[in-house]
C-alpha cells in the first residue's frame, strides 16, 4: 500500500471500510457502530492487508470528539448543567470509586502490582463521550432529563479524569521512586482544579460575550462558508486553547465553547452546519479504536477479558443504578443512566497510554483495556434495545410520566382541536408559525429541544417536548383532532417516519412536508404526505410567476434601444 500520503490514506481507507462494514451491520440489523469498530480492526496493524497510520487515526478521532461535544454544548445550557449537579457529582465520583476498586480486585487476581491495578481500574471507570452521545442522539434523549443527567455525569467524569492525568505521574513517583511528597501531590491537585475553574470562569464571563459576537459578525457577511468556518475555528480553537493553556481536555473545552453559544440565536444554525463533519469524524473515532486492538488477547486471556467486561457492563451499571435510585430518581432514569455508562472509551485509551509511559501498565494490560472497550461498545446498543423492550412491557403510564420530573406539570395534552401541528420550529417553522398566528389559526409546536419549548411556552405558544415519531408525543399534541400536520424539519427521511405514524393514526389529516431533494419528495409522498414543498422548486416557481406578471403587464419590445 502506497503510504506517501498517510493522512489521505488513513481517511479514505477508514471511511471506505467503515461504510462497507457499517452497511453490512445495518443489513444484519445490528448497530453500525459494530461495523465501524470491525473496520478499525481490519485497518489495524494486527490483521493482514491494508494498514492505516496508527498515529494519525487517533488525532482525527479527537476532532470528532471536539465537534461532537461542541454540538452537545449548543443544546446544553448552564442552567441545565447546574440542575443535575446534585446527582451528577456524587453519582459520578462514587461510580468511579466502585469501578476502580473492582479493577484493582481483578488486577490483584491476575498478580499485578497495586499501582498497575489502580491505573487499570481507572481505565475501566469512565464512559466514552462519543458512544454515550451517539446513543442519546439516536433515541432523541439529549434534551430529556435522563439525557441531561447522563451528560452531566459524563462531564464530571471528564473532570475527574483530567485531575487523574495530572496527578498520576506524581503518584507514580511517590510510590515507586520516593521522590514525591504528599505536599507536592496536594499542590498539583490545587493547581489543576484552579486551572479548570479559571477556564470555566473565562468561558462564562468573557466567552459568553465574545463567542456569540464573533458568530454574529461572520453571519452578517452573508457568506455561508465564512459562518461555517467561524464555527469550526471557535470550536477547535477553544478546545485547543483549553488543552494548551489550562490542561483541560479537548472534549471539555469544546463543550463549554458550545454552551456559551447556546443562548445565541445562531446556535441552531451552527449545530446544523457542523453536523456532517461531526458524523464523519465520529466514525473515524470508532475506526481508530478498532485499530489499536490486538484480537489475540481474546485467545490468550479469555477469562481476564470476561472479568474486565463484567466490571464495565455489570459492576458499573449496578453501582450507577443503585446511586440514582438512592438519590430519588425513577426506575426508568436509573436504568437509562446505568446502561449509558456500561462502556468505556477515549479516556481509557489515554490513561492506558500514560500508564505504559510511566511503566505502570504493560502492553497486556492495554490490550485488555482495548478488548473491554470494543466489546462494551459493541454490546451497548444491544443493551439499550433490551432496556427499551423491558420498559415497554413492564412500565405503567404513571411510571412513564414520573420519569421526566421537570415535565410533570408541563407535559399535558393541549386543550384545543382543529389546529395545526408544526413539527420543528427553526427558521422555516418559526416563519410559518408566525404567519398562522397572525391569520388566527391555532398552532401546537412539537420540538425535541427543551430550551426552545420553554421559550415558546413563555411566549404563550402551546408546545410539546418530544420526538414527533412517537405516538405518546403526538397524543399530547392532540393529533387525533388536528386539521393539519406541517413538517418543517430539514431531514426528509426522518419526516417520512413521522408521516407514516401520523397517517396510520389519523388517515384524514392533511399533511404538508418539507424536502430538499427530488428523492425526498417521492419518499414523503409514498409514505402518505398530501403535499411536499421543495425549497428550490418553489423559489424557481416564484421567480417564474414574477416574470409572467412583468411580461403580461409590460410586453417586451422587439428590440433593445441603444
Amino acid at each position: 500500500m502506497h503510504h506517501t500520503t498517510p493522512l489521505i490514506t488513513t481517511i479514505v481507507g477508514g471511511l471506505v471500510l467503515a461504510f462497507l462494514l457499517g452497511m453490512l451491520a445495518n443489513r444484519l440489523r445490528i448497530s453500525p457502530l459494530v461495523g465501524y469498530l470491525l473496520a478499525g480492526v481490519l485497518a489495524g496493524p494486527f490483521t493482514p492487508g491494508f494498514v492505516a497510520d496508527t498515529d494519525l487515526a487517533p488525532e482525527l478521532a479527537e476532532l470528532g470528539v471536539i465537534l461532537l461535544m461542541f454540538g452537545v454544548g449548543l443544546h446544553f445550557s448552564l442552567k441545565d448543567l447546574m440542575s443535575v449537579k446534585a446527582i451528577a457529582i456524587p453519582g459520578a465520583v462514587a461510580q468511579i470509586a466502585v469501578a476502580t476498586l473492582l479493577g484493582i480486585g481483578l488486577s490483584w487476581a491476575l498478580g499485578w502490582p497495586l499501582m498497575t491495578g489502580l491505573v487499570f481500574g481507572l481505565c475501566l471507570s469512565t464512559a466514552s463521550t462519543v458512544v454515550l452521545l451517539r446513543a442519546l442522539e439516536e433515541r432523541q434523549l439529549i434534551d430529556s432529563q435522563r439525557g441531561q443527567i447522563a451528560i452531566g455525569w459524563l462531564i464530571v467524569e471528564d473532570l475527574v479524569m483530567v485531575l487523574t492525568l495530572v496527578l498520576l505521574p506524581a503518584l507514580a513517583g511517590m510510590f515507586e521512586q520516593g521522590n514525591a511528597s504528599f505536599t507536592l501531590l496536594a499542590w498539583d491537585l490545587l493547581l489543576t482544579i484552579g486551572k479548570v475553574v479559571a477556564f470555566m470562569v473565562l468561558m462564562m464571563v468573557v466567552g459568553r460575550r465574545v463567542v456569540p459576537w464573533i458568530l454574529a459578525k461572520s453571519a452578517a457577511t452573508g457568506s455561508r462558508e465564512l459562518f461555517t468556518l467561524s464555527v469550526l475555528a471557535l470550536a477547535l480553537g477553544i478546545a485547543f486553547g483549553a488543552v494548551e493553556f489550562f490542561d483541560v481536555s479537548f472534549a471539555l473545552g469544546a463543550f463549554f465553547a458550545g454552551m456559551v453559544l447556546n443562548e445565541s440565536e445562531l446556535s441552531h444554525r451552527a449545530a446544523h452546519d457542523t453536523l456532517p463533519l461531526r458524523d464523519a469524524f465520529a466514525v473515524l473515532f470508532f475506526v481508530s479504536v478498532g485499530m489499536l486492538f490486538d484480537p489475540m488477547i481474546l485467545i490468550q486471556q479469555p477469562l481476564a477479558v470476561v472479568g474486565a467486561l463484567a466490571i464495565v457492563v455489570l459492576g458499573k451499571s449496578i453501582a450507577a443504578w443503585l446511586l440514582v435510585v438512592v438519590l430519588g430518581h425513577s426506575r426508568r432514569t436509573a436504568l437509562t443512566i446505568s446502561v449509558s455508562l456500561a462502556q468505556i472509551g477515549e479516556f481509557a485509551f489515554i490513561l492506558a497510554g500514560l500508564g505504559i509511559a510511566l511503566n505502570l501498565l504493560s502492553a497486556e494490560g492495554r490490550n485488555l483495556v482495548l478488548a473491554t472497550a470494543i466489546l462494551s461498545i459493541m454490546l451497548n446498543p444491544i443493551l439499550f434495545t433490551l432496556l427499551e423492550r423491558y420498559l415497554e412491557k413492564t412500565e405503567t403510564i404513571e411510571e412513564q410520566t414520573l420519569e421526566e420530573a421537570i415535565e410533570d406539570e408541563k407535559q399535558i395534552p393541549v386543550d384545543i382541536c382543529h389546529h395545526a401541528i408544526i413539527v420543528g420550529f427553526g427558521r422555516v417553522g418559526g416563519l410559518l408559525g408566525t404567519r398562522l398566528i397572525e391569520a388566527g389559526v391555532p398552532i401546537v409546536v412539537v420540538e425535541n429541544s427543551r430550551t426552545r419549548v420553554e421559550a415558546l411556552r413563555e411566549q404563550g405558544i402551546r408546545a410539546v417536548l418530544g420526538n414527533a415519531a412517537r405516538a405518546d408525543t403526538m397524543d399530547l399534541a392532540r393529533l387525533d383532532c388536528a386539521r393539519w400536520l406541517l413538517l418543517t424539519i430539514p431531514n426528509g427521511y426522518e419526516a417520512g417516519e413521522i408521516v407514516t405514524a401520523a397517517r396510520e393514526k389519523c388517515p384524514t389529516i392533511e399533511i404538508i412536508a418539507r424536502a430538499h431533494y427530488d428523492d425526498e419528495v417521492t419518499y414523503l409522498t409514498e409514505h402518505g404526505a398530501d403535499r411536499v414543498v421543495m425549497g428550490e422548486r418553489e423559489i424557481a416557481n416564484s421567480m417564474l410567476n414574477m416574470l409572467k406578471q412583468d411580461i403580461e403587464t409590460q410586453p417586451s419590445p422587439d428590440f433593445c434601444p441603444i
Side-chain angles (χ1 to χ4, degrees), residues 87 322-330 402:
I87 180 174
L322 287 172
L323 289 164
V324 176
V325 170
V326 167
L327 291 170
H329 288 263
S330 67
L402 180 65

Side-chain angles (χ1 to χ4, degrees), residues 425-464:
F425 211 73
R427 288 183 299 169
V428 176
L431 290 170
L432 178 60
T434 302
R435 296 292 178 87
L436 289 174
I437 292 172
E438 291 173 352
V441 177
I443 68 168
V444 175
V445 177
V446 178
E447 255 286 354
N448 58 15
S449 169
R450 182 185 299 277
T451 305
R452 189 166 294 161
V453 166
E454 291 176 350
L456 288 169
R457 287 170 176 163
E458 290 174 0
Q459 298 170 29
I461 299 174
R462 296 175 178 87
V464 173

Side-chain angles (χ1 to χ4, degrees), residues 48 134 179 279 317 341 343 388 391 559:
R134 180 62 62 87
N179 61 357
D279 287 345
S317 296
L341 301 173
Q343 37 80 17
E388 290 171 350
L391 291 175
F559 63 92

Side-chain angles (χ1 to χ4, degrees), residues 9 139 176 187 191 326 431 490 495 505 523:
T9 303
R139 291 158 182 83
E176 295 191 7
W187 171 249
L191 185 62
V326 167
L431 290 170
K505 184 168 182 73
Y523 178 82

Side-chain angles (χ1 to χ4, degrees), residues 139-364:
R139 291 158 182 83
Q140 304 289 330
L141 291 176
I142 282 187
D143 287 301
S144 68
Q145 186 194 29
R146 46 196 171 129
Q148 291 177 348
I149 292 173
I151 294 171
W153 194 300
L154 194 73
I155 291 168
V156 176
E157 282 192 351
D158 282 356
L159 287 170
V160 173
M161 289 302 111
V162 168
L163 293 173
T164 301
L165 291 172
V166 174
L167 295 176
L168 198 58
L171 274 173
M174 184 173 64
F175 279 93
E176 295 191 7
Q177 299 174 4
N179 61 357
S181 64
F182 283 104
T183 303
L184 180 60
L185 190 64
W187 171 249
D188 286 341
L189 178 62
L190 289 174
L191 185 62
T192 302
I193 294 174
K195 288 181 178 180
V196 172
V197 171
F199 171 74
M200 295 170 65
V201 170
L202 181 66
M203 292 304 299
M204 292 296 105
V205 176
V206 180
R208 209 169 188 175
R209 294 171 175 81
V210 174
V211 172
W213 179 80
I214 293 173
L215 282 188
K217 288 295 183 183
S218 62
T221 63
S223 170
R224 183 175 180 179
E225 292 83 3
L226 278 176
F227 178 79
T228 304
L229 185 60
S230 67
V231 174
L232 293 175
L234 285 168
L236 299 174
I238 291 174
F240 179 78
V243 174
E244 191 72 14
F245 301 109
F246 296 95
D247 292 327
V248 177
S249 68
F250 283 117
L252 200 64
F255 173 81
F256 275 96
M259 199 165 68
V260 298
L261 185 58
N262 175 267
E263 299 174 7
S264 169
E265 296 178 356
L266 296 168
S267 61
H268 182 72
R269 181 180 170 188
H272 179 267
D273 285 0
T274 57
L275 184 60
L277 277 174
R278 288 184 354 231
D279 287 345
F281 281 104
V283 169
L284 287 177
F285 165 79
F286 292 105
V287 174
S288 72
V289 172
M291 287 172 56
L292 297 172
F293 177 56
D294 184 359
M296 290 302 296
I297 189 71
L298 299 175
I299 299 173
Q300 296 169 353
Q301 296 282 347
L303 294 179
V305 172
V306 171
L309 188 63
I311 291 173
V312 172
V313 175
L314 296 177
K316 283 176 61 179
S317 296
I318 294 172
W321 178 78
L322 287 172
L323 289 164
V324 176
V325 170
V326 167
L327 291 170
H329 288 263
S330 67
R331 180 184 59 159
R332 171 183 278 245
T333 300
L335 289 172
T336 302
I337 299 300
S338 62
V339 170
S340 298
L341 301 173
Q343 37 80 17
I344 58 174
E346 49 272 18
F347 267 112
F349 315 140
I350 297 170
L351 277 172
L354 180 61
I356 287 181
L358 296 172
N359 294 320
L360 296 178
L361 194 67
S362 64
E364 178 188 356

Side-chain angles (χ1 to χ4, degrees), residues 499-528:
V499 170
T500 301
R503 184 59 74 199
E504 289 178 359
K505 184 168 182 73
C506 199
T508 59
I509 191 171
E510 184 173 357
I511 302 176
I512 303 175
R514 168 190 178 188
H516 282 295
Y517 305 102
D518 290 323
D519 56 345
E520 288 182 350
V521 174
T522 304
Y523 178 82
L524 287 165
T525 304
E526 290 176 348
H527 280 71

